[in-house]
Amino acid sequence: MKLSNFGMTILVLCCICVVPATNAETIVYEATDLTDLVPGEDLWKYTYTVSGYTFNSESLFGTYFDGALSSNLKDPTPNNSEWKSLVLPGDDADPTSIYSAFSLIDAPSLEDPFMVSFIWTGTGSPGPQEYFVVDSAGIFAEGTTQSSVPPVPVPSSVILMISGLIGIAGFKKKYSNHQ
């Protein structure tokens, strides 16, 4: 079977667009509005689930908290003895606070979630945050946390592109048969 130039173009575009994503870290958060302990304060808790990354001993991940939108970060006692979590508070020079979890062994379990509570001073509810991952060799990765609430499904660009190419092929075939 010989493919036309148009058919070959479609095949190449499909192969390029359908290449699987590389294995990368993912940090998913679930935001919970807690009962406020002090009138006027808005207490929240983030529960993080980490996947797609194998941590070495002495590697860590962390999330940034904007000092203008959050304060009084507290990490509860960790559920997992293979990790040490801590909060680095911001200061006057840089009000950004950091929640981080430090691996104490190679390939620590990621089964238990990581949690931090904080006072939200922004409007509405808190959302995604920037995060970083650093391993013991100094390899650095960063990204944005994802909400545990699944997004509304939207057709992927690959499906839209393939449907458009099929439509163009049908249109071309219909008009080439009429000439």
Side-chain angles (χ1 to χ4, degrees), residues 60-135:
L60 63 91
F61 77 90
T63 56
Y64 298 104
F65 284 82
D66 184 340
L69 301 174
S70 56
S71 64
N72 203 27
L73 273 67
K74 299 209 184 295
D75 61 331
T77 305
N79 295 337
N80 189 327
S81 63
E82 298 174 354
W83 291 90
K84 170 69 177 153
S85 59
L86 64 126
V87 171
L88 303 170
D91 58 26
D92 291 337
D94 183 3
T96 302
S97 295
I98 298 174
Y99 167 79
S100 64
F102 182 79
S103 63
L104 300 174
I105 64 170
D106 281 338
S109 171
L110 293 172
E111 225 172 276
D112 297 322
F114 300 89
M115 293 176 275
V116 62
S117 64
F118 58 97
I119 296 171
W120 175 245
T121 55
T123 58
S125 58
Q129 305 164 278
E130 297 301 310
Y131 72 82
F132 61 91
V133 176
V134 180
D135 74 9

Side-chain angles (χ1 to χ4, degrees), residues 139-154:
I139 296 174
F140 186 81
E142 57 187 356
T144 303
T145 59
Q146 301 173 11
S147 173
S148 63
V149 177
V152 175
V154 176

Side-chain angles (χ1 to χ4, degrees), residues 47 53 64 71 83 106 113 132 159 163 172 176:
T47 303
Y53 192 84
Y64 298 104
S71 64
W83 291 90
D106 281 338
F132 61 91
I159 293 172
S163 340
K172 183 179 175 182
S176 66

